């Protein structure tokens, strides 16, 4: 039979497929360096898209990309606050590109978001790190959000249409009001807006009723107040008359002050004229005294100059005399010294002869010493032999040292290898430090919290442990992966305290004061409680022997007691068991889960028990959990693949540690093998060293004899030279030296006499100059005394003149000040009371004519004014109250009319909104009840209207009270026959029950929503197999309803994304052509390129094998390159 070619498979064209996309649906998604993806591009189908793949491969990443790519922000995903955290590790930029299906004949919109790690604030939330493009045109975030929300009705922030994995629990946590708001937004923005308008109108109507009563009370108060103001107004008029009297008195006072100041100015003017005349007379008398004083100063200056000249001459003559005296004394000293030398010539001759005899005797003694020395030839021959023997010994010693050194170098090299390997191994074994650095990189603020604790440990009563992730030590990389998979990340970054006081102190100082997030677990006294095992010893023996288990999870790692107790309390590590390859075989036999679910004989409780265990299979690791259903009692199971540990992983490859250990071992063995050679070499070196010391002693003796011979010869030579010098000194001619001495003395005497004569002449000149200087000094003293007396007289006259000048200036200044003040007082008086207007009035008989009388009258008028409380605004207030009373009456009338209009407007909006809301509730309620019935449960959707409508009195009107802000939707469910319908809540229902209720509610809304697509992430987690099948069947049925005949292909409920890590086998509805399955491949055994997977060719090959019974071709799933499909 011929091979079936892939061309035989009939597929719709791309144009036909595009017609099925609803406008706003996602047609294409392209990612680069986004979380787990280096680069990927995929094309979702127009209806139901099932995204499948193992945990950690990047399924939820697709949902994150859709959210962020359409303008959503990270908090909507519940995963991070900063968009830069979605950039792939060690990459600088991530790109998200989403193509939306356009409206018919409308433009295509391709939205791109570029996230740059280097942009935005370092400590902020990365708002500035993103750049947005629409059709390759740079736009602002607001433009993207408006395009998505207003044109395509996509609301990323609505959990009814977009439910990410980390927000699934939030949906069941909604109160009824929030659930109604989210439902209204997902169905119609107008429905939600009308609800908000009704809330606002009701609030305004309520407040307006209160306002009418307030205005009526205000009107009564205003009328009473105005009657009181009328009485105060009369008192103010009386007070005003006194104020006018005070004003008139103040005007009069201004002119009286001016008159008093004018009289004072006349007196000062007269005194100024007298001082001016006195000053002129004093200046006239001082002029001749100044002239005479200047003449006397000139004469004194001349005589001082003469005195200075004579004083300098005296100093010069005295210095000449002193120099001659000094020279004369010097000559006298030289004469005495020469005479002493003349007398010592004979004594020197006698000393020289005695020195010759002494030196000759010393020479004889030295010659006698030389007789004891051996011959020089014998000494040199002995020296040469010792040197030759020492060189030979040294050569052999050096050779032995080189041999030992070579061996030592090898030992040192091996020790260096051992030390380097030991240091590397120690660094690699410091797992605690490595894990701490990993934790600091994973959790922001953890490093700051740890450093504060480390610096302030003395503040706490008991030790503080943690973070927990740094304190545990897994026994292998495999158990590290088990432990990390089982324990939550929040626990790894937690700190453990041992008393409540330390908990409060740590929370207050770190969390409240410093604002650093911190998780704290309390283990009282830090004690490890005795462990109660989940399985008896007998059952555990069976599990080990027949099912391949090794032990409990808490036995696979070590940790301090407080840390171990914290992990037991929070994650039951003492109840989780660990196994190997044999566990999978036990699972295949179907008896393992039954054994684990059966309670022990001593356990009196009924029903099955849950279990959790880890095992390996085909080089992969898994966690298997079983949970009995609360309704049927049947055991539900789930299996998760365990990824390699990230936090608890060993610091490096164990092979590296083994290599380092092997290097250390080999180095030690090499050193041990070389040590005997070192010891032998040391013995040989010691022998040659001892021999060398003996030879060195002989060499030193020979050198010493030679040195002594050399010293003896030098000493003999020196002594002979000294004897020759002494004999030469004793043979000198003394008579000639005596003649030279006599001639020297004669010359010194002649020079001394000459200098004495010069000194006498200089002394006479000095005495003459001194006599002349004394006469000039006496003349200078007389003139200086006369000049001083004349200066005193001049100073006295000048002081008198200066005093007169000062008094004149002060008086002149005072006169100018009074004149200016007088002008100002006149201007002030004229400004206060112009003479032409007030002159006659101020001269009337009732006005005082002096300042004292005026002040008395002014005080009396002010006392009258002060006796009446001032209220300057009483008249204005009285008139304003009258106007306000009229305005309140008018306002009261208008408010009554406005309240009626708002009531009418509220009822008008209420009718259409309430009718539409009730229709939606009934529609969804019918579907929800039907869907819940399919899974063997009951459910109901109720519209909560905020309680009974109430009336309240406001004047003569009764106002209806709707409580629109309290309206909401209640999801009521019942999962057991004997129970009653209860409102869905996290406190009452399990995770699986809430998941079923949530998905069925969303299915009930499916056909009513305006959004072109919906996304749900891992909603099937926690469901048992039966419910998971029923839920999936419902999702398929609702999401793939065929288009009604006669309508366009895109007239359906829209695109749907269901993300799940697994699908049960043989699910109903998977053959539906409206289902698109997106497989997320990640691993070394998968395709190198996603385009290498060709579905059409794979199906064709499978048909060929079924028809022919042949084998698979090696390229069964690989496409032909010339027909590479998308």
């Amino acid at each position: 039979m011929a091979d079936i070619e892939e061309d035989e498979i009939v597929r719709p064209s791309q144009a036909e497929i595009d017609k099925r996309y609803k406008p706003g649906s996602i047609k294409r998604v392209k990612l680069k360096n986004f979380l787990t993806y280096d680069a990927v591009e995929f094309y979702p189908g127009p209806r139901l898209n099932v995204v499948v793949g193992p945990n950690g491969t990047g399924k939820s990443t697709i949902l994150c990309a859709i959210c962020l790519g359409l303008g959503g922000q990270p908090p909507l995903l519940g995963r991070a606050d900063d968009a830069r955290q979605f950039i792939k590790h060690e990459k600088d930029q991530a790109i998200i590109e989403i193509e939306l299906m356009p409206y018919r004949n409308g433009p295509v919109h391709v939205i791109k978001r570029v996230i740059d790690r280097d942009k935005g604030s370092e400590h902020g939330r990365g708002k500035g790190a993103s750049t947005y493009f629409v059709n390759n045109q740079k736009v602002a975030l607001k433009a993207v959000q408006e395009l998505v929300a207003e044109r395509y009705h996509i609301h990323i922030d609505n959990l009814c249409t977009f439910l990410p994995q980390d927000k699934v629990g939030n949906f069941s946590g909604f109160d009824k009001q929030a659930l109604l708001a989210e439902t209204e937004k997902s169905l119609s923005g107008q429905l939600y807006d009308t609800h908000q308008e009704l809330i606002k109108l009701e609030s305004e109507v309520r407040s307006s009723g209160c306002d009418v009563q307030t205005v009526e009370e205000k009107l009564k108060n205003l009328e009473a107040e105005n009657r009181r103001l009328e009485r105060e107004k009369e008192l103010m008029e009386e007070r005003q008359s006194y104020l006018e009297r005070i004003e008139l008195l103040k005007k009069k006072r201004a002119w009286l002050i001016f008159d008093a100041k004018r009289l004072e100015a006349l007196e000062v003017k007269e005194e100024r004229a007298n001082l001016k005349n006195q000053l002129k007379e004093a200046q006239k008398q001082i002029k001749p005294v100044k002239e005479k004083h200047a003449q006397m100063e000139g004469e004194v200056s001349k005589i001082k100059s003469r005195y200075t000249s004579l004083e300098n001459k005296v100093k010069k003559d005295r210095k000449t005399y002193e120099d001659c005296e000094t020279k004369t004394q010097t000559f006298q000293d030289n004469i005495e010294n020469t005479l002493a030398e003349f007398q010592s010539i004979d004594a020197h001759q006698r000393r020289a002869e005695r020195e010759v005899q002494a030196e000759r005797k010393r020479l004889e003694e030295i010659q006698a010493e030389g007789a004891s020395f051996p011959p020089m030839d014998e000494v040199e021959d002995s020296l040469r032999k010792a040197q030759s023997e020492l060189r030979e010994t040294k050569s052999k010693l050096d050779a032995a040292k080189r041999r030992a050194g070579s061996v030592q170098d090898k030992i040192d090299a091996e020790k260096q290898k051992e030390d380097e390997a030991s240091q590397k191994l120690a660094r690699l074994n410091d797992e605690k430090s490595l894990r701490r650095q990993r934790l600091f990189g994973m959790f922001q603020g953890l490093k700051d919290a740890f450093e504060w604790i480390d610096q302030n440990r003395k503040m706490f009563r008991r030790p503080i442990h943690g973070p927990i992730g740094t304190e545990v030590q897994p026994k292998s990389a495999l158990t590290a992966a088990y432990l990390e998979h089982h324990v939550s990340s929040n626990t790894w970054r937690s700190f453990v305290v041992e008393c409540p006081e330390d908990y409060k102190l740590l929370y207050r100082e770190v969390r409240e004061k410093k604002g650093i997030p911190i998780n704290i677990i309390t283990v009282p006294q830090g004690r490890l409680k005795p462990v109660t095992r989940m399985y008896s010893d007998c059952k555990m023996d069976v599990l080990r022997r027949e099912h391949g288990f090794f032990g409990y999870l808490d036995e696979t790692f070590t940790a301090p007691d407080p840390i171990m107790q914290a992990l037991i309390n929070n994650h039951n590590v003492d109840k989780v068991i660990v196994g190997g390859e044999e566990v999978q075989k036990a699972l295949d036999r179907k008896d393992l889960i039954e054994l684990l679910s059966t309670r022990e004989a001593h356990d009196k409780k009924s029903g099955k028990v849950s279990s959790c265990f880890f095992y390996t299979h085909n080089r992969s690791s898994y966690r298997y959990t079983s949970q009995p259903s609360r309704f049927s009692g049947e055991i539900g199971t789930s299996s998760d693949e365990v990824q390699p540990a990230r936090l608890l992983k060993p610091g490096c490859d164990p092979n590296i540690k083994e290599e380092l250990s092997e290097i250390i071992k080999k180095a030690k063995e090499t050193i041990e093998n070389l040590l005997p050679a070192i010891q032998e070499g040391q013995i040989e070196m010691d022998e040659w060293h001892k021999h060398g010391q003996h030879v060195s002693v002989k060499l030193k003796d020979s050198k010493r004899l030679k040195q002594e011979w050399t010293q003896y010869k030098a000493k003999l030579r020196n002594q002979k030279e000294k004897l020759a010098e002494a004999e030469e000194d004793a043979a000198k001619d003394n008579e000639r030296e005596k003649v030279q001495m006599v001639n020297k003395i004669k010359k010194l005497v002649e020079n001394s006499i000459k200098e004495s004569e010069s000194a006498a002449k200089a002394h006479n000149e000095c005495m003459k100059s001194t006599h002349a200087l004394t006469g000039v000094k006496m003349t200078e003293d007389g003139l200086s005394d006369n000049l001083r007396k004349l200066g005193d007289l001049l100073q006295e006259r000048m002081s008198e003149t200066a005093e007169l000048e000062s008094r004149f200036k002060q008086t002149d200044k005072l006169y100018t000040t009074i004149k200016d003040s007088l002008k100002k007082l006149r201007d002030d008086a004229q400004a206060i009371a112009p003479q032409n207007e007030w002159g006659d009035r101020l001269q009337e008989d009732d006005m005082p004519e002096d300042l004292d009388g005026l002040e008395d009258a002014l005080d009396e008028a002010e006392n009258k004014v002060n006796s009446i409380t001032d209220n300057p605004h009483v008249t204005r207030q009285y008139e304003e109250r009258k106007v306000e009373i009229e305005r309140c009456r008018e306002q009261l009338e208008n408010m009554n009319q406005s309240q009626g209009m708002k009531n009418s407007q509220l009822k008008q909006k209420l009718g259409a909104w309430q009718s539409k809301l009730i229709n939606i509730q009934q529609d969804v309620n019918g579907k929800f009840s039907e869907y819940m019935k399919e899974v063997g449960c009951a459910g109901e959707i109720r519209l909560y209207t905020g309680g009974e409508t109430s009336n309240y009195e406001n004047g003569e009107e009764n106002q209806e009270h709707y409580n629109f802000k309290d309206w909401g939707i209640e999801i009521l469910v019942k999962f057991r026959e004997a129970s009653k319908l209860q409102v869905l809540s996290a406190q009452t229902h399990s995770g699986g029950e809430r998941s079923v209720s949530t998905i069925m509610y969303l299915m009930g809304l499916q056909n009513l929503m305006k959004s072109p697509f919906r996304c749900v992430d891992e909603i099937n987690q926690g469901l048992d197999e039966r419910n998971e099948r029923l839920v999936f069947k419902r999702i398929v049925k609702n999401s793939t309803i065929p288009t009604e005949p006669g309508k366009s292909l895109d007239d359906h409920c829209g695109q749907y994304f269901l993300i799940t890590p697994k699908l049960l086998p043989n699910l109903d509805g998977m053959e539906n052509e409206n289902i698109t399955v997106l497989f997320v491949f990640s691993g070394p055994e998968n395709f190198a390129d996603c385009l290498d997977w060709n579905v059409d060719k794979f199906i064709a090959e499978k048909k060929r094998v079924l028809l022919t019974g042949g084998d698979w071709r090696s390229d069964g799933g690989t496409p032909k390159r010339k027909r590479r499909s998308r």
Side-chain angles (χ1 to χ4, degrees), residues 167-387:
K167 293 282 188 176
V168 171
N170 293 14
F171 192 90
S172 58
F174 279 148
D175 58 22
K176 43 186 169 287
Q177 289 77 24
L179 183 58
L180 175 59
E182 293 297 314
T183 302
E184 287 177 327
K185 290 177 185 177
S186 67
L187 300 180
S188 169
Q190 183 179 2
L191 198 65
Y192 174 76
D193 293 340
T194 303
H195 188 183
Q196 299 305 307
E197 290 175 4
L198 288 170
I199 294 172
K200 182 179 178 182
L201 280 172
E202 183 179 20
S203 176
E204 291 175 354
V205 169
R206 287 190 199 176
S207 62
S208 65
C210 298
D211 292 343
V212 169
Q213 186 176 358
T214 302
V215 172
E216 288 177 346
E217 292 177 356
K218 181 179 178 182
L219 181 59
K220 291 179 183 178
N221 293 335
L222 287 174
E223 290 172 345
E225 179 69 13
N226 223 32
R227 288 192 291 272
R228 181 185 63 78
L229 290 174
E230 189 173 5
R231 291 192 297 272
E232 289 189 9
K233 179 182 171 221
E234 295 173 356
L235 289 174
M236 288 302 102
E237 289 174 351
E238 179 182 356
R239 188 174 185 276
Q240 184 62 31
S241 64
Y242 282 111
L243 289 173
E244 291 173 357
R245 171 71 175 172
I246 290 171
E247 185 66 21
L248 191 60
L249 289 172
K250 288 181 178 179
K251 293 179 185 297
K252 178 69 175 180
R253 182 173 61 180
W255 284 106
L256 290 177
I257 293 172
F258 169 74
D259 292 339
K261 183 61 72 174
R262 185 165 55 83
L263 293 175
E264 182 183 356
L266 293 174
E267 293 174 0
V268 173
K269 183 179 181 182
E270 184 177 357
E271 182 182 359
R272 174 175 170 274
N274 292 335
L275 288 172
K276 186 176 182 181
N277 293 331
Q278 293 176 15
L279 180 61
K280 286 181 180 179
E281 185 63 27
Q283 290 174 344
K284 183 177 180 183
Q285 294 177 358
I286 202 173
K287 184 176 180 181
V289 178
K290 281 185 177 180
E291 293 174 352
K292 189 173 181 180
H293 183 270
Q295 183 182 358
M296 187 66 70
E297 281 181 339
E299 294 176 0
V300 170
S301 177
K302 289 178 182 179
I303 200 69
K304 281 185 177 181
S305 176
R306 170 69 176 156
Y307 175 81
T308 302
S309 177
L310 288 172
E311 186 179 28
N312 291 335
K313 188 174 184 306
V314 168
K315 289 180 180 178
K316 182 178 179 183
D317 292 341
R318 185 179 288 115
K319 187 174 186 307
T320 302
Y321 168 72
E322 290 173 352
D323 291 343
C324 291
E325 279 291 312
T326 302
K327 290 179 180 179
T328 301
Q329 185 63 42
T330 301
F331 285 128
Q332 290 294 331
D333 294 339
N334 291 336
I335 290 170
E336 291 176 359
N337 293 334
T338 307
L339 285 173
E341 290 179 7
F342 181 80
Q343 294 170 359
S344 67
I345 290 176
D346 292 337
H348 179 73
Q349 180 64 29
R350 291 190 294 273
R351 284 196 304 273
E353 292 173 355
R354 289 194 299 271
E355 185 70 23
V356 169
Q357 293 176 2
E359 292 297 336
R360 187 175 289 116
K361 183 179 180 181
R362 177 62 182 155
L363 177 60
E364 292 173 355
E365 291 175 355
I366 292 173
Q367 289 174 344
E369 289 178 7
S372 63
F373 289 105
M376 188 64 178
D377 295 339
E378 293 180 7
V379 173
E380 289 181 348
D381 184 58
S382 175
L383 179 62
R384 282 194 296 274
K385 289 180 179 180
Q387 287 175 338

Side-chain angles (χ1 to χ4, degrees), residues 756-810:
S756 296
E757 292 174 353
S758 298
K761 184 178 179 181
H763 183 266
N764 291 335
E765 288 295 326
C766 182
M767 292 304 294
K768 290 179 183 179
S769 300
T770 303
H771 291 158
L773 180 64
T774 304
V776 172
K777 179 64 175 173
M778 292 175 66
T779 302
E780 181 192 0
D781 290 344
L783 289 173
S784 296
D785 186 57
N786 291 336
L787 179 63
R788 179 181 57 76
K789 292 178 180 178
L790 190 61
D792 292 343
L793 177 61
L794 179 62
Q795 185 64 33
E796 182 180 353
R797 295 285 178 85
M798 290 180 69
S799 298
E800 293 174 355
T801 304
E803 183 180 358
L804 285 173
E805 186 175 5
S806 176
R807 288 175 59 193
F808 173 76
K809 287 181 178 179
Q810 290 177 357

Side-chain angles (χ1 to χ4, degrees), residues 732-747:
K732 284 183 179 179
D733 185 2
N734 292 332
E735 293 300 326
R736 185 179 177 185
E737 187 175 359
K738 289 180 180 179
V739 172
Q740 291 176 350
M741 287 289 181
V742 171
N743 293 334
K744 183 178 180 181
I745 292 170
K746 288 180 180 179
K747 189 173 182 179

Side-chain angles (χ1 to χ4, degrees), residues 45-106:
R47 302 297 294 274
L48 176 59
N49 291 271
V50 182
V51 184
V52 184
N55 285 330
T57 55
K59 302 182 305 302
S60 297
T61 300
I62 294 173
L63 200 68
C64 296
I66 293 174
C67 174
L68 298 180
L70 295 178
Q73 299 306 312
L76 295 177
L77 299 168
R79 288 194 169 195
D81 293 332
D82 192 336
R84 291 172 293 192
Q85 295 183 19
F86 290 86
I87 302 175
K88 187 176 178 65
H89 183 58
E90 297 183 349
K91 300 296 183 180
D92 296 326
Q93 190 183 78
I95 300 175
I96 307 169
E97 185 175 294
I98 298 177
E99 180 181 343
L100 299 179
M101 189 66 192
Y103 286 98
R104 188 171 299 174
N105 301 323

Side-chain angles (χ1 to χ4, degrees), residues 376-470:
M376 188 64 178
D377 295 339
E378 293 180 7
V379 173
E380 289 181 348
D381 184 58
S382 175
L383 179 62
R384 282 194 296 274
K385 289 180 179 180
Q387 287 175 338
S388 175
E389 188 175 359
L390 183 62
R391 282 195 295 272
E392 184 180 356
T393 302
K394 186 178 179 182
S395 175
K396 292 180 178 179
L397 179 62
D398 290 342
K401 283 184 178 179
R402 284 194 296 274
R403 289 193 296 274
S406 176
V407 176
Q408 187 62 45
D409 289 343
K410 293 179 181 179
I411 291 176
D412 292 341
E414 293 300 324
K415 281 186 176 180
Q416 184 176 359
K417 289 181 182 179
E418 180 187 358
D419 292 342
E420 290 176 354
S422 298
Q423 292 174 1
K424 290 181 181 179
L425 187 60
R427 288 196 297 270
L428 295 176
N429 286 333
D430 190 5
E431 301 288 346
K432 186 173 182 179
S433 176
L434 291 172
R435 285 199 296 273
R436 184 181 298 129
Q437 295 305 318
R438 292 184 194 132
L439 275 171
F440 291 165
M442 293 168 64
F443 303 108
Q444 187 177 4
L446 185 60
K447 182 179 180 181
D448 296 335
F450 175 79
E451 290 177 349
W452 185 91
I453 292 170
D454 197 45
Q455 295 168 5
N456 299 276
R457 292 188 182 276
K458 293 182 180 179
M459 296 173 59
F460 298 94
R461 298 189 179 188
R462 298 186 64 84
I464 306 297
H465 309 275
I468 290 178
T470 66

